[in-house]
Amino acid sequence: MADTAHNNLNAKLVSRVLLGDMGTGKSSLVIRFVKGQFLEFQESTIGAAFFSQTVSVNSATVKFEIWDTAGQERYHSLAPMYYRGAAAAIIVYDITSSVFEQPSDSFAKAKKWVQELQKQGNPNMVMALAGNKCDLEDKRNVTAEEARAYADENGLFFLETSAKTAVNVNDTFYEIAKKLPRAQPTQNPAGMLLVDRPADGSRAASCCG
Ligand SMILES: Nc1nc2c(ncn2[C@@H]2O[C@H](COP(=O)(O)OP(=O)(O)OP(=O)(O)O)[C@@H](O)[C@H]2O)c(=O)[nH]1
């Protein structure tokens, strides 16, 4: 996973956005992918955070540009700025969340994101559904079968992931890159780079490539 200036010159650009309810593990997934790290107490995202990572996929060099959006409802209206320019979206839910428990039913919220992208997103967008926290099998509330059936009906690529153990995290990012036919132009929102906790500078700044 070398991120070199040489690789960047001829890299295929893949812009993507992570969407999903708060606390589902969007930031944890991208930090696992970009930095190979996991924090038990990951701070909630404010606005959105930007990451980039250049990797080899099937002997091609691919530069991932990733917008990690904030899951809190108050930031929902910002999301179109990030998903409109994205070639791919990863919609994340937490396999342990339930309609009966707080904070929320993140699988239902994931379906709402899919509907919104189907109506308002880029029609050629590649979408993946990630059932995160699959290390918490004993707390599972959403079965893989239910999620896979939904994904199949809606043409989504589906994997269960764990940012904690790293299961399927790289695969989720790589598989989408393989599904994109050719280089996709990125249309990141001009002038918008909202990062997590800019005051401490530790999170987004250290990940931006
Ligand atoms: N056990 C387990 N915990 C996880 C996993 N992924 C994330 N977490 C934990 O879940 C909490 C929320 O993770 P975040 O990555 O901040 O979630 P988010 O979706 O980015 O949340 P917002 O920024 O509020 O939208 C943190 O305490 C993480 O440590 C996972 O795969 N397994």
Side-chain angles (χ1 to χ4, degrees), residues 129-160:
L129 181 66
N132 192 39
K133 306 194 187 180
C134 71
D135 55 289
L136 300 176
E137 185 59 43
D138 54 334
K139 294 184 179 158
R140 177 188 287 276
N141 275 306
V142 183
T143 66
E145 292 71 28
E146 181 186 0
R148 186 170 292 109
Y150 173 77
D152 288 348
E153 276 165 29
N154 286 274
L156 311 176
F157 172 71
F158 170 68
L159 276 177
E160 288 196 340

PDB file of all heavy atoms in Angstrom, residues 129-160:
ATOM      1  N   LEU A 129     -22.939  -2.043   0.290  1.00  0.00           N
ATOM      2  CA  LEU A 129     -23.558  -2.045   1.616  1.00  0.00           C
ATOM      3  C   LEU A 129     -22.609  -2.788   2.547  1.00  0.00           C
ATOM      4  O   LEU A 129     -22.226  -3.928   2.268  1.00  0.00           O
ATOM      5  CB  LEU A 129     -24.903  -2.770   1.534  1.00  0.00           C
ATOM      6  CG  LEU A 129     -25.727  -2.854   2.821  1.00  0.00           C
ATOM      7  CD1 LEU A 129     -26.192  -1.466   3.269  1.00  0.00           C
ATOM      8  CD2 LEU A 129     -26.954  -3.763   2.597  1.00  0.00           C
ATOM      9  N   ALA A 130     -22.216  -2.123   3.635  1.00  0.00           N
ATOM     10  CA  ALA A 130     -21.289  -2.750   4.582  1.00  0.00           C
ATOM     11  C   ALA A 130     -21.976  -2.920   5.928  1.00  0.00           C
ATOM     12  O   ALA A 130     -22.386  -1.940   6.557  1.00  0.00           O
ATOM     13  CB  ALA A 130     -20.031  -1.890   4.731  1.00  0.00           C
ATOM     14  N   GLY A 131     -22.121  -4.170   6.358  1.00  0.00           N
ATOM     15  CA  GLY A 131     -22.661  -4.467   7.690  1.00  0.00           C
ATOM     16  C   GLY A 131     -21.478  -4.525   8.645  1.00  0.00           C
ATOM     17  O   GLY A 131     -20.790  -5.542   8.733  1.00  0.00           O
ATOM     18  N   ASN A 132     -21.232  -3.415   9.330  1.00  0.00           N
ATOM     19  CA  ASN A 132     -20.010  -3.310  10.139  1.00  0.00           C
ATOM     20  C   ASN A 132     -20.218  -3.874  11.558  1.00  0.00           C
ATOM     21  O   ASN A 132     -21.340  -4.092  11.993  1.00  0.00           O
ATOM     22  CB  ASN A 132     -19.560  -1.852  10.192  1.00  0.00           C
ATOM     23  CG  ASN A 132     -18.161  -1.706  10.746  1.00  0.00           C
ATOM     24  OD1 ASN A 132     -17.280  -2.519  10.461  1.00  0.00           O
ATOM     25  ND2 ASN A 132     -17.932  -0.695  11.571  1.00  0.00           N
ATOM     26  N   LYS A 133     -19.108  -4.071  12.251  1.00  0.00           N
ATOM     27  CA  LYS A 133     -19.027  -4.607  13.618  1.00  0.00           C
ATOM     28  C   LYS A 133     -19.363  -6.100  13.641  1.00  0.00           C
ATOM     29  O   LYS A 133     -19.977  -6.601  14.576  1.00  0.00           O
ATOM     30  CB  LYS A 133     -19.902  -3.814  14.602  1.00  0.00           C
ATOM     31  CG  LYS A 133     -19.623  -2.300  14.594  1.00  0.00           C
ATOM     32  CD  LYS A 133     -20.228  -1.579  15.765  1.00  0.00           C
ATOM     33  CE  LYS A 133     -20.060  -0.065  15.598  1.00  0.00           C
ATOM     34  NZ  LYS A 133     -20.625   0.711  16.695  1.00  0.00           N
ATOM     35  N   CYS A 134     -18.958  -6.799  12.582  1.00  0.00           N
ATOM     36  CA  CYS A 134     -19.277  -8.227  12.525  1.00  0.00           C
ATOM     37  C   CYS A 134     -18.469  -9.034  13.544  1.00  0.00           C
ATOM     38  O   CYS A 134     -18.702 -10.226  13.714  1.00  0.00           O
ATOM     39  CB  CYS A 134     -19.140  -8.780  11.114  1.00  0.00           C
ATOM     40  SG  CYS A 134     -17.449  -8.898  10.535  1.00  0.00           S
ATOM     41  N   ASP A 135     -17.546  -8.375  14.235  1.00  0.00           N
ATOM     42  CA  ASP A 135     -16.870  -9.049  15.363  1.00  0.00           C
ATOM     43  C   ASP A 135     -17.808  -9.223  16.549  1.00  0.00           C
ATOM     44  O   ASP A 135     -17.553 -10.054  17.427  1.00  0.00           O
ATOM     45  CB  ASP A 135     -15.632  -8.234  15.791  1.00  0.00           C
ATOM     46  CG  ASP A 135     -15.962  -6.791  16.125  1.00  0.00           C
ATOM     47  OD1 ASP A 135     -16.277  -6.024  15.193  1.00  0.00           O
ATOM     48  OD2 ASP A 135     -15.937  -6.420  17.298  1.00  0.00           O
ATOM     49  N   LEU A 136     -18.910  -8.452  16.581  1.00  0.00           N
ATOM     50  CA  LEU A 136     -19.850  -8.515  17.720  1.00  0.00           C
ATOM     51  C   LEU A 136     -20.995  -9.481  17.419  1.00  0.00           C
ATOM     52  O   LEU A 136     -22.174  -9.131  17.495  1.00  0.00           O
ATOM     53  CB  LEU A 136     -20.386  -7.108  18.035  1.00  0.00           C
ATOM     54  CG  LEU A 136     -19.336  -6.057  18.418  1.00  0.00           C
ATOM     55  CD1 LEU A 136     -19.975  -4.688  18.612  1.00  0.00           C
ATOM     56  CD2 LEU A 136     -18.604  -6.482  19.690  1.00  0.00           C
ATOM     57  N   GLU A 137     -20.641 -10.705  17.068  1.00  0.00           N
ATOM     58  CA  GLU A 137     -21.633 -11.708  16.656  1.00  0.00           C
ATOM     59  C   GLU A 137     -22.693 -11.941  17.739  1.00  0.00           C
ATOM     60  O   GLU A 137     -23.883 -12.096  17.443  1.00  0.00           O
ATOM     61  CB  GLU A 137     -20.892 -13.021  16.332  1.00  0.00           C
ATOM     62  CG  GLU A 137     -21.769 -14.129  15.779  1.00  0.00           C
ATOM     63  CD  GLU A 137     -22.491 -13.756  14.491  1.00  0.00           C
ATOM     64  OE1 GLU A 137     -21.872 -13.141  13.597  1.00  0.00           O
ATOM     65  OE2 GLU A 137     -23.693 -14.091  14.400  1.00  0.00           O
ATOM     66  N   ASP A 138     -22.281 -11.937  19.001  1.00  0.00           N
ATOM     67  CA  ASP A 138     -23.237 -12.220  20.080  1.00  0.00           C
ATOM     68  C   ASP A 138     -24.257 -11.096  20.260  1.00  0.00           C
ATOM     69  O   ASP A 138     -25.278 -11.286  20.931  1.00  0.00           O
ATOM     70  CB  ASP A 138     -22.496 -12.487  21.397  1.00  0.00           C
ATOM     71  CG  ASP A 138     -21.523 -11.374  21.776  1.00  0.00           C
ATOM     72  OD1 ASP A 138     -21.042 -10.671  20.861  1.00  0.00           O
ATOM     73  OD2 ASP A 138     -21.262 -11.199  22.978  1.00  0.00           O
ATOM     74  N   LYS A 139     -24.003  -9.935  19.665  1.00  0.00           N
ATOM     75  CA  LYS A 139     -24.960  -8.818  19.777  1.00  0.00           C
ATOM     76  C   LYS A 139     -25.683  -8.559  18.458  1.00  0.00           C
ATOM     77  O   LYS A 139     -26.327  -7.521  18.292  1.00  0.00           O
ATOM     78  CB  LYS A 139     -24.227  -7.549  20.208  1.00  0.00           C
ATOM     79  CG  LYS A 139     -23.659  -7.642  21.610  1.00  0.00           C
ATOM     80  CD  LYS A 139     -23.036  -6.312  21.998  1.00  0.00           C
ATOM     81  CE  LYS A 139     -22.484  -6.410  23.406  1.00  0.00           C
ATOM     82  NZ  LYS A 139     -21.456  -5.419  23.672  1.00  0.00           N
ATOM     83  N   ARG A 140     -25.546  -9.477  17.528  1.00  0.00           N
ATOM     84  CA  ARG A 140     -26.118  -9.283  16.193  1.00  0.00           C
ATOM     85  C   ARG A 140     -27.628  -9.111  16.246  1.00  0.00           C
ATOM     86  O   ARG A 140     -28.330  -9.876  16.921  1.00  0.00           O
ATOM     87  CB  ARG A 140     -25.762 -10.483  15.312  1.00  0.00           C
ATOM     88  CG  ARG A 140     -26.361 -10.418  13.915  1.00  0.00           C
ATOM     89  CD  ARG A 140     -26.140 -11.715  13.156  1.00  0.00           C
ATOM     90  NE  ARG A 140     -24.779 -11.913  12.718  1.00  0.00           N
ATOM     91  CZ  ARG A 140     -24.271 -11.404  11.606  1.00  0.00           C
ATOM     92  NH1 ARG A 140     -25.023 -10.659  10.808  1.00  0.00           N
ATOM     93  NH2 ARG A 140     -23.029 -11.656  11.270  1.00  0.00           N
ATOM     94  N   ASN A 141     -28.133  -8.130  15.479  1.00  0.00           N
ATOM     95  CA  ASN A 141     -29.578  -7.947  15.321  1.00  0.00           C
ATOM     96  C   ASN A 141     -30.012  -7.937  13.865  1.00  0.00           C
ATOM     97  O   ASN A 141     -31.207  -7.949  13.585  1.00  0.00           O
ATOM     98  CB  ASN A 141     -30.032  -6.651  15.998  1.00  0.00           C
ATOM     99  CG  ASN A 141     -30.309  -6.853  17.472  1.00  0.00           C
ATOM    100  OD1 ASN A 141     -31.088  -7.728  17.847  1.00  0.00           O
ATOM    101  ND2 ASN A 141     -29.655  -6.089  18.316  1.00  0.00           N
ATOM    102  N   VAL A 142     -29.066  -7.854  12.946  1.00  0.00           N
ATOM    103  CA  VAL A 142     -29.398  -7.896  11.514  1.00  0.00           C
ATOM    104  C   VAL A 142     -28.675  -9.103  10.929  1.00  0.00           C
ATOM    105  O   VAL A 142     -27.445  -9.197  11.017  1.00  0.00           O
ATOM    106  CB  VAL A 142     -28.938  -6.610  10.780  1.00  0.00           C
ATOM    107  CG1 VAL A 142     -29.353  -6.659   9.309  1.00  0.00           C
ATOM    108  CG2 VAL A 142     -29.469  -5.362  11.464  1.00  0.00           C
ATOM    109  N   THR A 143     -29.434 -10.027  10.330  1.00  0.00           N
ATOM    110  CA  THR A 143     -28.778 -11.213   9.763  1.00  0.00           C
ATOM    111  C   THR A 143     -28.130 -10.855   8.425  1.00  0.00           C
ATOM    112  O   THR A 143     -28.581  -9.955   7.709  1.00  0.00           O
ATOM    113  CB  THR A 143     -29.782 -12.365   9.524  1.00  0.00           C
ATOM    114  OG1 THR A 143     -30.708 -11.956   8.503  1.00  0.00           O
ATOM    115  CG2 THR A 143     -30.531 -12.736  10.794  1.00  0.00           C
ATOM    116  N   ALA A 144     -27.091 -11.612   8.099  1.00  0.00           N
ATOM    117  CA  ALA A 144     -26.423 -11.408   6.812  1.00  0.00           C
ATOM    118  C   ALA A 144     -27.376 -11.746   5.667  1.00  0.00           C
ATOM    119  O   ALA A 144     -27.360 -11.085   4.617  1.00  0.00           O
ATOM    120  CB  ALA A 144     -25.169 -12.276   6.732  1.00  0.00           C
ATOM    121  N   GLU A 145     -28.241 -12.728   5.880  1.00  0.00           N
ATOM    122  CA  GLU A 145     -29.179 -13.136   4.819  1.00  0.00           C
ATOM    123  C   GLU A 145     -30.130 -11.996   4.473  1.00  0.00           C
ATOM    124  O   GLU A 145     -30.402 -11.715   3.303  1.00  0.00           O
ATOM    125  CB  GLU A 145     -29.989 -14.365   5.268  1.00  0.00           C
ATOM    126  CG  GLU A 145     -29.187 -15.649   5.405  1.00  0.00           C
ATOM    127  CD  GLU A 145     -28.220 -15.640   6.601  1.00  0.00           C
ATOM    128  OE1 GLU A 145     -28.494 -14.947   7.607  1.00  0.00           O
ATOM    129  OE2 GLU A 145     -27.181 -16.322   6.513  1.00  0.00           O
ATOM    130  N   GLU A 146     -30.657 -11.356   5.527  1.00  0.00           N
ATOM    131  CA  GLU A 146     -31.590 -10.239   5.307  1.00  0.00           C
ATOM    132  C   GLU A 146     -30.903  -9.106   4.534  1.00  0.00           C
ATOM    133  O   GLU A 146     -31.448  -8.548   3.574  1.00  0.00           O
ATOM    134  CB  GLU A 146     -32.072  -9.725   6.681  1.00  0.00           C
ATOM    135  CG  GLU A 146     -33.065  -8.595   6.607  1.00  0.00           C
ATOM    136  CD  GLU A 146     -33.399  -8.017   7.994  1.00  0.00           C
ATOM    137  OE1 GLU A 146     -32.864  -8.497   9.010  1.00  0.00           O
ATOM    138  OE2 GLU A 146     -34.203  -7.073   8.027  1.00  0.00           O
ATOM    139  N   ALA A 147     -29.701  -8.790   4.944  1.00  0.00           N
ATOM    140  CA  ALA A 147     -28.984  -7.693   4.303  1.00  0.00           C
ATOM    141  C   ALA A 147     -28.592  -8.051   2.872  1.00  0.00           C
ATOM    142  O   ALA A 147     -28.699  -7.224   1.962  1.00  0.00           O
ATOM    143  CB  ALA A 147     -27.748  -7.335   5.122  1.00  0.00           C
ATOM    144  N   ARG A 148     -28.162  -9.303   2.667  1.00  0.00           N
ATOM    145  CA  ARG A 148     -27.763  -9.723   1.321  1.00  0.00           C
ATOM    146  C   ARG A 148     -28.956  -9.703   0.378  1.00  0.00           C
ATOM    147  O   ARG A 148     -28.836  -9.272  -0.777  1.00  0.00           O
ATOM    148  CB  ARG A 148     -27.130 -11.117   1.356  1.00  0.00           C
ATOM    149  CG  ARG A 148     -26.565 -11.527   0.014  1.00  0.00           C
ATOM    150  CD  ARG A 148     -25.726 -12.784   0.053  1.00  0.00           C
ATOM    151  NE  ARG A 148     -24.490 -12.595   0.789  1.00  0.00           N
ATOM    152  CZ  ARG A 148     -24.243 -13.128   1.997  1.00  0.00           C
ATOM    153  NH1 ARG A 148     -25.135 -13.890   2.585  1.00  0.00           N
ATOM    154  NH2 ARG A 148     -23.103 -12.910   2.608  1.00  0.00           N
ATOM    155  N   ALA A 149     -30.106 -10.140   0.875  1.00  0.00           N
ATOM    156  CA  ALA A 149     -31.317 -10.139   0.034  1.00  0.00           C
ATOM    157  C   ALA A 149     -31.656  -8.701  -0.383  1.00  0.00           C
ATOM    158  O   ALA A 149     -31.963  -8.429  -1.547  1.00  0.00           O
ATOM    159  CB  ALA A 149     -32.479 -10.763   0.794  1.00  0.00           C
ATOM    160  N   TYR A 150     -31.567  -7.796   0.581  1.00  0.00           N
ATOM    161  CA  TYR A 150     -31.849  -6.386   0.270  1.00  0.00           C
ATOM    162  C   TYR A 150     -30.826  -5.864  -0.752  1.00  0.00           C
ATOM    163  O   TYR A 150     -31.189  -5.188  -1.717  1.00  0.00           O
ATOM    164  CB  TYR A 150     -31.812  -5.534   1.544  1.00  0.00           C
ATOM    165  CG  TYR A 150     -31.937  -4.073   1.239  1.00  0.00           C
ATOM    166  CD1 TYR A 150     -33.177  -3.508   0.927  1.00  0.00           C
ATOM    167  CD2 TYR A 150     -30.812  -3.253   1.194  1.00  0.00           C
ATOM    168  CE1 TYR A 150     -33.287  -2.173   0.590  1.00  0.00           C
ATOM    169  CE2 TYR A 150     -30.912  -1.925   0.862  1.00  0.00           C
ATOM    170  CZ  TYR A 150     -32.146  -1.389   0.560  1.00  0.00           C
ATOM    171  OH  TYR A 150     -32.248  -0.062   0.208  1.00  0.00           O
ATOM    172  N   ALA A 151     -29.555  -6.194  -0.540  1.00  0.00           N
ATOM    173  CA  ALA A 151     -28.502  -5.720  -1.441  1.00  0.00           C
ATOM    174  C   ALA A 151     -28.723  -6.264  -2.854  1.00  0.00           C
ATOM    175  O   ALA A 151     -28.606  -5.519  -3.843  1.00  0.00           O
ATOM    176  CB  ALA A 151     -27.134  -6.143  -0.907  1.00  0.00           C
ATOM    177  N   ASP A 152     -29.057  -7.541  -2.955  1.00  0.00           N
ATOM    178  CA  ASP A 152     -29.282  -8.139  -4.270  1.00  0.00           C
ATOM    179  C   ASP A 152     -30.451  -7.466  -4.996  1.00  0.00           C
ATOM    180  O   ASP A 152     -30.379  -7.170  -6.190  1.00  0.00           O
ATOM    181  CB  ASP A 152     -29.570  -9.646  -4.136  1.00  0.00           C
ATOM    182  CG  ASP A 152     -28.315 -10.424  -3.760  1.00  0.00           C
ATOM    183  OD1 ASP A 152     -27.213  -9.840  -3.826  1.00  0.00           O
ATOM    184  OD2 ASP A 152     -28.441 -11.604  -3.368  1.00  0.00           O
ATOM    185  N   GLU A 153     -31.522  -7.207  -4.249  1.00  0.00           N
ATOM    186  CA  GLU A 153     -32.700  -6.555  -4.853  1.00  0.00           C
ATOM    187  C   GLU A 153     -32.361  -5.178  -5.412  1.00  0.00           C
ATOM    188  O   GLU A 153     -32.974  -4.703  -6.359  1.00  0.00           O
ATOM    189  CB  GLU A 153     -33.784  -6.333  -3.787  1.00  0.00           C
ATOM    190  CG  GLU A 153     -34.680  -7.506  -3.525  1.00  0.00           C
ATOM    191  CD  GLU A 153     -35.460  -7.306  -2.220  1.00  0.00           C
ATOM    192  OE1 GLU A 153     -35.723  -6.149  -1.854  1.00  0.00           O
ATOM    193  OE2 GLU A 153     -35.759  -8.331  -1.572  1.00  0.00           O
ATOM    194  N   ASN A 154     -31.397  -4.530  -4.775  1.00  0.00           N
ATOM    195  CA  ASN A 154     -31.106  -3.146  -5.138  1.00  0.00           C
ATOM    196  C   ASN A 154     -29.778  -2.970  -5.886  1.00  0.00           C
ATOM    197  O   ASN A 154     -29.320  -1.848  -6.082  1.00  0.00           O
ATOM    198  CB  ASN A 154     -31.113  -2.271  -3.876  1.00  0.00           C
ATOM    199  CG  ASN A 154     -32.529  -2.051  -3.382  1.00  0.00           C
ATOM    200  OD1 ASN A 154     -33.216  -1.154  -3.830  1.00  0.00           O
ATOM    201  ND2 ASN A 154     -32.970  -2.927  -2.474  1.00  0.00           N
ATOM    202  N   GLY A 155     -29.193  -4.078  -6.296  1.00  0.00           N
ATOM    203  CA  GLY A 155     -27.967  -4.004  -7.086  1.00  0.00           C
ATOM    204  C   GLY A 155     -26.755  -3.484  -6.327  1.00  0.00           C
ATOM    205  O   GLY A 155     -25.888  -2.818  -6.898  1.00  0.00           O
ATOM    206  N   LEU A 156     -26.703  -3.775  -5.029  1.00  0.00           N
ATOM    207  CA  LEU A 156     -25.573  -3.331  -4.224  1.00  0.00           C
ATOM    208  C   LEU A 156     -24.602  -4.482  -4.007  1.00  0.00           C
ATOM    209  O   LEU A 156     -25.020  -5.633  -3.893  1.00  0.00           O
ATOM    210  CB  LEU A 156     -26.035  -2.856  -2.834  1.00  0.00           C
ATOM    211  CG  LEU A 156     -27.188  -1.873  -2.739  1.00  0.00           C
ATOM    212  CD1 LEU A 156     -27.532  -1.633  -1.279  1.00  0.00           C
ATOM    213  CD2 LEU A 156     -26.816  -0.571  -3.396  1.00  0.00           C
ATOM    214  N   PHE A 157     -23.336  -4.133  -3.889  1.00  0.00           N
ATOM    215  CA  PHE A 157     -22.332  -5.098  -3.471  1.00  0.00           C
ATOM    216  C   PHE A 157     -22.409  -5.171  -1.943  1.00  0.00           C
ATOM    217  O   PHE A 157     -22.479  -4.147  -1.282  1.00  0.00           O
ATOM    218  CB  PHE A 157     -20.977  -4.594  -3.951  1.00  0.00           C
ATOM    219  CG  PHE A 157     -19.823  -5.377  -3.453  1.00  0.00           C
ATOM    220  CD1 PHE A 157     -19.582  -6.661  -3.925  1.00  0.00           C
ATOM    221  CD2 PHE A 157     -18.961  -4.842  -2.513  1.00  0.00           C
ATOM    222  CE1 PHE A 157     -18.511  -7.383  -3.459  1.00  0.00           C
ATOM    223  CE2 PHE A 157     -17.877  -5.568  -2.048  1.00  0.00           C
ATOM    224  CZ  PHE A 157     -17.660  -6.840  -2.527  1.00  0.00           C
ATOM    225  N   PHE A 158     -22.427  -6.388  -1.355  1.00  0.00           N
ATOM    226  CA  PHE A 158     -22.613  -6.507   0.099  1.00  0.00           C
ATOM    227  C   PHE A 158     -21.486  -7.287   0.756  1.00  0.00           C
ATOM    228  O   PHE A 158     -21.078  -8.347   0.275  1.00  0.00           O
ATOM    229  CB  PHE A 158     -23.947  -7.212   0.395  1.00  0.00           C
ATOM    230  CG  PHE A 158     -24.106  -7.600   1.845  1.00  0.00           C
ATOM    231  CD1 PHE A 158     -24.249  -6.625   2.819  1.00  0.00           C
ATOM    232  CD2 PHE A 158     -24.093  -8.937   2.236  1.00  0.00           C
ATOM    233  CE1 PHE A 158     -24.376  -6.975   4.167  1.00  0.00           C
ATOM    234  CE2 PHE A 158     -24.225  -9.298   3.577  1.00  0.00           C
ATOM    235  CZ  PHE A 158     -24.365  -8.309   4.544  1.00  0.00           C
ATOM    236  N   LEU A 159     -20.992  -6.750   1.860  1.00  0.00           N
ATOM    237  CA  LEU A 159     -20.035  -7.470   2.705  1.00  0.00           C
ATOM    238  C   LEU A 159     -20.290  -7.105   4.160  1.00  0.00           C
ATOM    239  O   LEU A 159     -20.697  -5.973   4.453  1.00  0.00           O
ATOM    240  CB  LEU A 159     -18.593  -7.054   2.382  1.00  0.00           C
ATOM    241  CG  LEU A 159     -17.875  -7.747   1.220  1.00  0.00           C
ATOM    242  CD1 LEU A 159     -16.495  -7.127   1.034  1.00  0.00           C
ATOM    243  CD2 LEU A 159     -17.750  -9.244   1.451  1.00  0.00           C
ATOM    244  N   GLU A 160     -20.041  -8.057   5.046  1.00  0.00           N
ATOM    245  CA  GLU A 160     -19.990  -7.708   6.465  1.00  0.00           C
ATOM    246  C   GLU A 160     -18.527  -7.417   6.809  1.00  0.00           C
ATOM    247  O   GLU A 160     -17.619  -8.117   6.342  1.00  0.00           O
ATOM    248  CB  GLU A 160     -20.547  -8.845   7.327  1.00  0.00           C
ATOM    249  CG  GLU A 160     -22.046  -8.950   7.193  1.00  0.00           C
ATOM    250  CD  GLU A 160     -22.696  -9.788   8.295  1.00  0.00           C
ATOM    251  OE1 GLU A 160     -21.996 -10.590   8.928  1.00  0.00           O
ATOM    252  OE2 GLU A 160     -23.914  -9.618   8.512  1.00  0.00           O
TER     253      GLU A 160
END
